Amino acid sequence: DAGVIQSPRHEVTEMGQEVTLRCKPISGHDYLFWYRQTMMRGLELLIYFNNNVPIDDSGMPEDRFSAKMPNASFSTLKIQPSEPRDSAVYFCASSPGGRTGNTIYFGEGSWLTVV
Amino acid sequence: ELKVEQNPLFLSMQEGKNYTIYCNYSTTSDRLYWYRQDPGKSLESLFVLLSNGAVKQEGRLMASLDTKARLSTLHITAAVHDLSATYFCAVDLTGANNLFFGTGTRLTVIP
C-alpha cells in the first residue's frame, strides 16, 4: 500500500494567496483527518471526516480555512486568504474505521510557508 | 478542557541506559496511542493501548496504560542512538480515533 499521500510536500506562498493542500487516504479507510503542527501549538486536529462527511470541524481556526472530501479517495484543505501565521506542517491521516484501537496512519505532511 | 501532558519535554540519555517518559491526561479515556516522529518526517505509530493495565512491547520500547491514574508510560530499555526522535502520546476521547496529542518528548541518545 502506498500509504497516505499528500501534495504538495512544500509550498511557499505570499500572504493573501490561496493555498490548496491535497490528500489521498489509504484505500478502504473510512476516516480522514487533517492536523496542523507548529512549534507553538504542537499537533492540533483541524477537521475529520467519516465516509466523506465532515464530523467535527471545531478545530478549524477561522473562516479562511475550509476542507472538502468529494469522494473516498480525495480531500482538500484550502486556506484563502493565507497569512504568515498559517505557516505550519499540515498532516493528513486516515484510519480504517471508528472502532476502538484502529491505527491512524499519517502522510508525510505538507510544509507551508506564507511570507 | 482536555490536557495531555508529557514529561520530560526534553530527554538526553546515554546509550545503554533506561528511562521512562510519562503521559498524563485530564479526562477519562481508555484509548491511548504512542507515536514517534523523526525530524522533518511524519508520525509513525508505535503502540495502541486499549484498556486499563494494557502493556505492549516492541524491541527496546514498552508502553503501559493506567486509566484510573490517567497515566501512560513509555519505557526505554538500554537506549541506542536509533531511538533518538520525538515521542508523542495521544488520547482518543470519542472512540472515533479523534486524537488529542501531548506536547511531545524530544529524546536524544548520546553514544
Side-chain angles (χ1 to χ4, degrees):
Chain A
D1 199 318
V4 177
I5 300 173
Q6 292 186 244
S7 66
R9 290 296 314 279
H10 299 270
E11 176 143 351
V12 180
T13 190
E14 291 185 345
M15 182 173 62
Q17 296 298 306
E18 178 179 294
V19 174
T20 299
L21 308 178
R22 297 172 178 80
C23 175
K24 176 180 170 54
I26 294 172
S27 177
H29 282 193
D30 294 333
Y31 283 78
L32 183 140
F33 308 84
W34 282 101
Y35 283 88
R36 178 172 69 175
Q37 185 176 34
T38 61
M39 289 295 293
M40 291 298 296
R41 299 177 67 86
L43 276 154
E44 304 173 281
L45 177 67
L46 300 178
I47 185 171
Y48 76 95
F49 296 82
N50 179 23
N51 292 322
N52 313 338
V53 176
I55 303 301
D56 185 352
D57 65 354
S58 59
M60 296 286 261
E62 48 197 273
D63 292 345
R64 297 185 297 107
F65 286 69
S66 62
K68 294 181 180 180
M69 192 167 185
N71 57 62
S73 59
F74 183 66
S75 177
T76 60
L77 178 67
K78 186 175 294 186
I79 309 172
Q80 166 65 18
S82 59
E83 297 182 3
R85 58 186 169 138
D86 301 329
S87 298
V89 184
Y90 291 83
F91 287 103
C92 177
S94 70
S95 73
R99 295 182 303 278
T100 298
N102 283 313
T103 298
I104 301 164
Y105 299 88
F106 282 76
E108 293 293 313
S110 292
W111 295 68
L112 173 66
T113 302
V114 183
V115 298
Chain B
E1 178 187 346
L2 171 64
K3 291 184 179 179
V4 182
E5 297 179 334
Q6 291 181 234
N7 71 82
L9 297 183
F10 299 92
L11 175 57
S12 181
M13 57 190 297
Q14 288 187 318
E15 280 191 332
K17 298 293 186 181
N18 304 333
Y19 209 84
T20 301
I21 298 171
Y22 297 89
C23 173
N24 290 90
Y25 52 97
S26 62
T27 191
T28 302
S29 174
D30 57 2
R31 296 173 291 276
L32 195 291
Y33 295 69
W34 284 96
Y35 282 86
R36 167 183 173 147
Q37 186 179 35
D38 292 295
K41 301 294 186 182
S42 184
L43 285 90
E44 174 190 355
S45 177
L46 295 174
F47 299 108
V48 180
L49 303 169
L50 300 178
S51 61
N52 186 40
V55 178
K56 290 195 174 180
Q57 183 166 4
E58 180 72 34
R60 300 175 186 274
L61 301 178
M62 183 174 70
S64 66
L65 178 61
D66 182 344
T67 58
K68 294 180 180 178
R70 299 178 184 173
L71 171 69
S72 180
T73 61
L74 181 66
H75 186 71
I76 303 156
T77 301
V80 294
H81 180 68
D82 287 350
L83 290 179
S84 297
T86 299
Y87 293 85
F88 292 93
C89 65
V91 175
D92 178 3
L93 282 183
T94 65
N97 300 157
N98 180 353
L99 300 185
F100 292 84
F101 280 84
T103 48
T105 295
R106 184 166 182 177
L107 170 65
T108 303
V109 181
I110 303 168

